[in-house]
């Protein structure tokens, strides 16, 4: 597939203008013109770039790219090393941040919901960054916060940080992948439990004082699924070869 055609396809699928963001979405570093093999991963870290180069990838698709508002803009140290390897290996770097979070089917929020058995019914904000849905079993005997937390641990392969009474029954969940802790303010009182990746000191107080269950399951762990879904979509729709590379991150 031609680079220009892939760029246009991705920008149509994940429109950068759909949401105000603090990074450039789309092609961040230009590589070769013909793309057959894609590697996807959460963050354009050195080990991920190295893995892409070693597997002969023509494009690397990530959620967290290289350039963010407020950065110094200098290509020194680790930043230089990342860009140098990409350019040396002639790899195209595509990064989609918030446009990937909000995609109703392939996005991080919807894909995480599927892993956790949450039935997404909509969003609590206009952009779609705060997903809402029913907790499994809500219609029947119900699920408690403790049971749900165990389900999250099983689905993501790591113990989440949980705040609240394990016996609390849950009906509605609100969730935002990654560093979405501030959205707890909008989740309450419309949901009984709020799931996100990261936690701040104050998030715990808000959860306790509002009586909303809080499940912080890891920034990396909650954002592994959108980029994989997009990679699989490209493989299906355009016959590209796709492989997801997980560079473990405990944060
Ligand atoms: Zn993130």
């Amino acid at each position: 597939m031609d680079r220009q055609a892939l760029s246009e396809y991705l920008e149509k699928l994940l429109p950068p203008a759909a949401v105000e963001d603090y990074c450039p979405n789309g092609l961040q570093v230009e590589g070769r013109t013909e793309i057959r093999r894609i590697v996807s991963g959460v963050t354009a870290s050195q080990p991920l770039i190295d893995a892409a180069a070693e597997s002969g990838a023509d494009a690397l698709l990530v959620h967290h790219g290289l350039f963010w508002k407020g950065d110094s803009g200098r290509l020194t140290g680790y930043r230089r090393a990342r860009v140098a390897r990409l350019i040396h290996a002639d790899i195209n770097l595509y990064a989609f941040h918030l446009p990937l979070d909000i995609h109703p089917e392939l996005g991080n929020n919807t894909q995480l919901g599927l892993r956790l058995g949450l039935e997404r019914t909509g969003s609590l904000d206009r952009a779609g960054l705060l997903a809402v849905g029913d907790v499994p079993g809500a219609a029947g005997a119900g699920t408690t916060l403790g049971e749900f937390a165990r389900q999250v641990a099983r689905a993501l392969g790591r113990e989440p940080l949980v705040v609240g009474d394990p016996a609390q029954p849950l009906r509605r969940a609100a969730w935002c992948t990654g560093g979405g802790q501030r959205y707890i303010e909008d989740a309450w009182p419309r949901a009984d439990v709020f799931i996100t990746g990261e936690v701040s000191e104050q998030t715990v107080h808000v959860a306790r004082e509002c009586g909303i269950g809080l499940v912080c399951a890891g920034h990396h762990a909650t954002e592994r699924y959108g980029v994989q879904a997009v990679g699989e979509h490209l493989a299906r729709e355009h016959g590209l070869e796709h492989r997801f590379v997980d560079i473990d991150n405990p944060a």
Side-chain angles (χ1 to χ4, degrees), residues 14-37:
L14 307 164
V19 54
E20 205 179 311
D21 210 340
Y22 39 96
C23 65
N25 285 291
L27 187 62
Q28 288 198 343
V29 177
E30 193 176 277
R32 60 178 68 95
T33 50
E34 182 63 23
I35 295 164
R36 285 196 202 108
R37 185 175 294 177

Side-chain angles (χ1 to χ4, degrees), residues 123-139:
S123 306
L124 293 179
D125 66 326
R126 228 183 298 155
L129 287 164
L130 183 58
V132 67
D134 296 326
V135 176

Side-chain angles (χ1 to χ4, degrees), residues 42-64:
V42 178
T43 300
S45 62
Q46 192 71 53
L48 181 65
I49 292 169
D50 292 345
E54 278 151 28
S55 69
D58 306 305
L60 175 59
L61 174 69
V62 297
H63 182 49
H64 303 135

Side-chain angles (χ1 to χ4, degrees), residues 23 55 59 71 73 76 81 92-93 100 110 114 152 156 171 180 182 186 203 208 223 234 238:
C23 65
S55 69
D71 277 355
T76 53
N92 294 280
L93 175 69
L100 177 61
T110 298
L114 291 174
V152 171
L156 302 186
R171 297 187 75 79
R182 69 182 183 282
D186 302 315
T203 325
R208 284 178 183 156
E223 295 201 319
L234 291 174
H238 296 286

Side-chain angles (χ1 to χ4, degrees), residues 46-229:
Q46 192 71 53
L48 181 65
I49 292 169
D50 292 345
E54 278 151 28
S55 69
D58 306 305
L60 175 59
L61 174 69
V62 297
H63 182 49
H64 303 135
L66 295 176
F67 309 107
W68 300 92
K69 242 180 226 172
D71 277 355
S72 73
R74 296 176 206 275
L75 287 179
T76 53
Y78 75 90
R79 295 175 202 276
R80 179 202 178 277
R82 290 173 174 182
V83 173
R85 184 86 208 254
L86 282 169
I87 290 176
H88 242 106
D90 213 9
I91 295 175
N92 294 280
L93 175 69
Y94 287 96
F96 286 91
H97 185 233
L98 300 184
L100 177 61
D101 286 325
I102 64 175
H103 191 280
E105 181 201 335
L106 305 171
N108 276 324
N109 279 337
T110 298
Q111 290 293 321
L112 178 69
L114 291 174
R115 292 328 186 273
L116 303 184
L118 299 170
E119 260 178 67
R120 185 170 185 177
T121 52
S123 306
L124 293 179
D125 66 326
R126 228 183 298 155
L129 287 164
L130 183 58
V132 67
D134 296 326
V135 176
T143 301
T144 65
L145 178 60
E147 286 162 356
F148 181 67
R150 280 193 291 280
Q151 196 170 316
V152 171
R154 272 197 303 275
L156 302 186
R158 79 199 286 284
E159 280 309 315
L161 181 147
V162 182
V163 177
D165 178 2
Q168 183 193 337
L170 306 179
R171 297 187 75 79
R172 278 183 107 207
W175 67 99
C176 175
T177 64
Q181 58 268 57
R182 69 182 183 282
Y183 283 102
I184 192 170
E185 304 270 354
D186 302 315
W188 186 84
R190 294 178 282 182
D192 315 298
V193 62
F194 174 63
I195 305 117
T196 190
E198 291 192 23
V199 64
S200 296
E201 191 268 354
Q202 65 195 34
T203 325
V204 174
H205 294 295
V206 175
R208 284 178 183 156
E209 288 163 40
C210 294
I212 183 172
L214 173 65
V215 178
C216 299
H219 191 137
H220 174 86
T222 57
E223 295 201 319
R224 280 181 299 204
Y225 306 108
V227 83
Q228 285 186 65

